[in-house]
Amino acid sequence: MAIKKQYLKSKPVCKVTFSVPAKEAKNVAVVGSFNEWNTEATELKKLKNGTFKGTVDLPCDSSYEFRYVVDGAYINDEQADAYAWNDFAAAENGVINL
């Protein structure tokens, strides 16, 4: 898994690209505090090499909790900037700091 951050000079936004290698998966989405944990809001597109990829524009100077949903299973990104416990999910969420 990978997270790529591209800060824009023209406005206080960061283009965050999420990549998840999941050749056997049918559906992968990224959910988080930036999309109200909606599993349908940010679905990633499957590339020919089996990696799912998608880009989200997020306001800078904030932190966001997130997880991936791979065929219904919630998983964290090992490259997250930090992790935060979430009582609702009874699990840790990845955190991205912009």
Side-chain angles (χ1 to χ4, degrees):
M1 286 173 253
I3 301 169
K4 180 182 164 194
K5 302 174 187 175
Q6 180 183 2
Y7 293 91
L8 302 182
K9 293 179 181 175
S10 59
K11 51 188 171 179
V13 170
C14 182
K15 287 188 169 292
V16 181
T17 301
F18 298 96
S19 299
V20 180
K23 288 183 181 182
E24 305 300 320
K26 291 186 175 24
N27 298 302
V28 177
V30 62
V31 297
S33 53
F34 53 86
N35 65 7
E36 299 181 11
W37 302 93
N38 182 341
T39 57
E40 296 176 9
T42 313
E43 293 181 350
L44 306 182
K45 291 192 174 23
K46 189 170 189 174
L47 306 178
K48 289 182 181 179
N49 66 4
T51 298
F52 285 79
K53 198 175 214 179
T55 302
V56 180
D57 290 352
L58 297 175
C60 293
D61 300 322
S62 293
S63 294
Y64 304 93
E65 290 186 29
F66 75 99
R67 294 185 94 183
Y68 299 113
V69 183
V70 180
D71 288 342
Y74 286 80
I75 59 171
N76 276 323
D77 192 319
E78 67 272 2
Q79 293 186 5
D81 295 330
Y83 297 94
W85 180 259
N86 183 295
D87 286 332
F88 180 76
E92 283 190 327
N93 292 326
V95 175
I96 187 165
N97 297 314
L98 303 177

